[in-house]
Amino acid sequence: MEKPEIVAMSPPDISNRTLLILYLSPYALYVLIPMVTDSPTLGYALRLGLVPLALALTWKHILPLTGPRPVGSSLLWGGLTGVIGCVLWVCLAKPFEPQGIHTPWSPLAFWLRFAAASLVVPLFEELLIRGYLFRLILQWQQAQKKGSHSPLSEALDECDVRSVEPGAWSSAAIFLSSALFAMGHRLFEWPAAMVYGVLLSMLWVVRKDMVALISAHAVTNACLATYIRHTGQWALW
């Protein structure tokens, strides 16, 4: 499969170094909210209220969600990939899940988390991991190929991830972004998260837009939550 050319703007209207703060803020907010409260119900209610607000405040600098492919077919591809991703996740995480965790969430806490995992997490996580970091790695590699003395600094200060051509990829971008994605999960989930990261990276290569990735992630999380509630395997959540 031919790799599309990686295109960089020069000079960018806003650098990747600044964009990192904007893309990381919703993710950081989502992770830090549990430090404010021990209540899962209140924690997920706050996440549902505050994280979309953070996304809205930074939205004008967010890369386009659509690409050259029809949105409808990208949603369909995303849905199908999401179901496959859920099956892979369960198969790869279940052998390593902690034992003895069987306490179910209360109905309200469950549905609040379901809403957050299905509607909020896929958006900010895909934008950060396969929207920003994946493309930053591509631009870092491009700077290396040009013989830059400081390729990472050049990628951060002289490039803009929003200029990367839809579908552009490299083996390093797929592997490193998937590894970073895995590190954001519990240790026993790392094999599942790594494989899932590669799966969604390949969906980016095929569909060339964020719509497919976000919809796939949303379907995976919704299917996983439904499976956990039905089977009582709460350790997977």
Side-chain angles (χ1 to χ4, degrees):
M1 184 179 297
E2 184 179 354
K3 301 180 183 180
E5 181 184 358
I6 304 166
V7 180
M9 289 192 304
S10 181
D13 58 339
I14 182 170
S15 72
N16 283 336
R17 193 179 295 273
T18 301
L19 286 172
L20 175 59
I21 299 172
L22 301 181
Y23 280 82
L24 189 60
S25 296
Y27 186 99
L29 182 60
Y30 191 91
V31 171
L32 292 174
I33 282 175
M35 298 182 183
V36 177
T37 175
D38 293 329
S39 167
T41 301
L42 178 58
Y44 279 99
L46 288 172
R47 284 165 159 167
L48 283 168
L50 297 178
V51 175
L53 178 60
L55 282 166
L57 292 174
T58 60
W59 195 255
K60 68 178 181 179
H61 298 298
I62 296 299
L63 51 87
L65 300 186
T66 57
R69 304 282 194 261
V71 171
S73 57
S74 284
L75 289 171
L76 178 59
W77 272 78
L80 293 173
T81 304
V83 173
I84 294 171
C86 180
V87 173
L88 288 172
W89 190 281
V90 172
C91 291
L92 293 170
K94 197 173 184 308
F96 306 104
E97 68 176 312
Q99 300 301 309
I101 301 177
H102 302 291
T103 305
W105 288 48
S106 70
L108 179 57
F110 172 83
W111 289 113
L112 285 172
R113 182 170 181 178
F114 182 95
S118 303
L119 302 176
V120 179
V121 172
L123 186 56
F124 74 73
E125 203 162 53
E126 288 307 315
L127 286 172
L128 175 62
I129 302 296
R130 278 161 285 272
Y132 179 88
L133 294 174
F134 188 101
R135 301 177 192 215
L136 178 66
I137 294 166
L138 291 176
Q139 292 179 324
W140 182 7
Q141 289 183 284
Q142 184 187 40
Q144 287 179 318
K145 290 178 181 178
K146 292 191 320 185
S148 171
H149 294 295
S150 184
L152 181 57
S153 293
E154 181 174 324
L156 285 169
D157 296 322
E158 300 179 26
C159 298
D160 183 336
V161 293
R162 296 170 297 178
S163 67
V164 171
E165 183 178 342
W169 66 282
S170 71
S171 299
I174 291 174
F175 176 80
L176 292 176
S177 65
S178 298
L180 290 169
F181 176 70
M183 290 171 64
H185 293 78
R186 293 172 294 178
L187 185 60
F188 82 91
E189 296 175 312
W190 282 14
M194 189 71 191
V195 171
Y196 190 76
V198 172
L199 176 67
L200 289 201
S201 295
M202 296 311 299
L203 182 61
W204 158 254
V205 174
V206 172
R207 294 307 303 169
K208 307 180 189 300
D209 61 38
M210 297 302 299
V211 171
L213 303 183
I214 293 167
S215 60
H217 202 145
V219 169
T220 295
N221 285 359
C223 289
L224 181 61
T226 303
Y227 170 83
I228 290 168
R229 191 167 190 262
H230 178 72
T231 61
Q233 294 178 352
W234 296 96
L236 291 176
W237 219 15

